[in-house]
Structure formats: C-alpha cells, structure tokens
Amino acid sequence: SIEKLVELYNKTSLFVYPSLYEGFGLPPLEALACGAPVLCSNVSSLPEVCREYAFYCNPFEVDDIAFMLKKLLEDKNLREEKIKGGLNYVKRFNWDKTAKKHLEIFESFK
C-alpha cells in the first residue's frame, strides 16, 4: 500500500537505487519527498531527475557502491544536507500540474 511505502521511506537511513536503466526515476523522487537521503546511479535519467539533491555512484562498480554506502551511513550531516534540499526540490513535481499539461497537449491535436 502507499501508506506502507511512505512509512518505509520515512524510516530509512538511506534509499539506495543503483538502477542501470530508468525512464524517469520516480522511486528516488518519492524517497526525496519523504525526507529520505538518496544514493542512486550516475547513469540513465537519474542525475537529470535528482540533480544535486541525491548522492551518486557507478552502478557497475561494487567498490564504488560500497564506498558511498559506508560514507553516507557514517556521516549524518552529509545526509541531512541533501534531505533539506530534496524536500524543497520535489515540490516542483505536481501530479495536478502534470495532468493539466498532458491534457493541453492531447487537446491540441483535436
């Protein structure tokens, strides 16, 4: 359920998403919106979507993932910096605004 997902995002110390391919990257944005620090891949759309509000790793390098995990789990201040910025950043993503924009596009084809 969505409630359980939000609860998990809220309780996590770090949301880790070393995805190799993403169309958009909604799970990291959901995590940011819940105040979870995010570690995700430095490939695909994730750097464009999450910008400077997430931490990044090379998903093809296990040592890089492990290094970033250790670094971020040990440094609460570093995580807190991203949390604050991320909470403000995700406000620009709005389902109502997205739906209205899509509707405008669809209606332009009439």
Side-chain angles (χ1 to χ4, degrees), residues 20-78:
L20 300 178
Y21 173 81
E22 284 302 314
F24 180 74
L26 193 54
L29 285 178
E30 291 173 336
L32 289 173
C34 291
V38 172
L39 171 62
C40 58
S41 300
N42 61 1
V43 299
S44 74
S45 65
L46 294 172
E48 182 180 352
V49 171
C50 296
R51 298 190 182 181
E52 68 269 17
Y53 305 102
F55 300 97
Y56 297 95
C57 63
N58 182 338
F60 299 101
E61 296 291 332
V62 174
D63 289 341
D64 189 39
I65 298 169
F67 171 79
M68 289 302 294
L69 281 169
K70 185 176 184 324
K71 177 179 178 180
L72 298 172
L73 290 172
E74 290 178 348
D75 193 336
K76 185 177 180 177
N77 292 330
L78 191 58

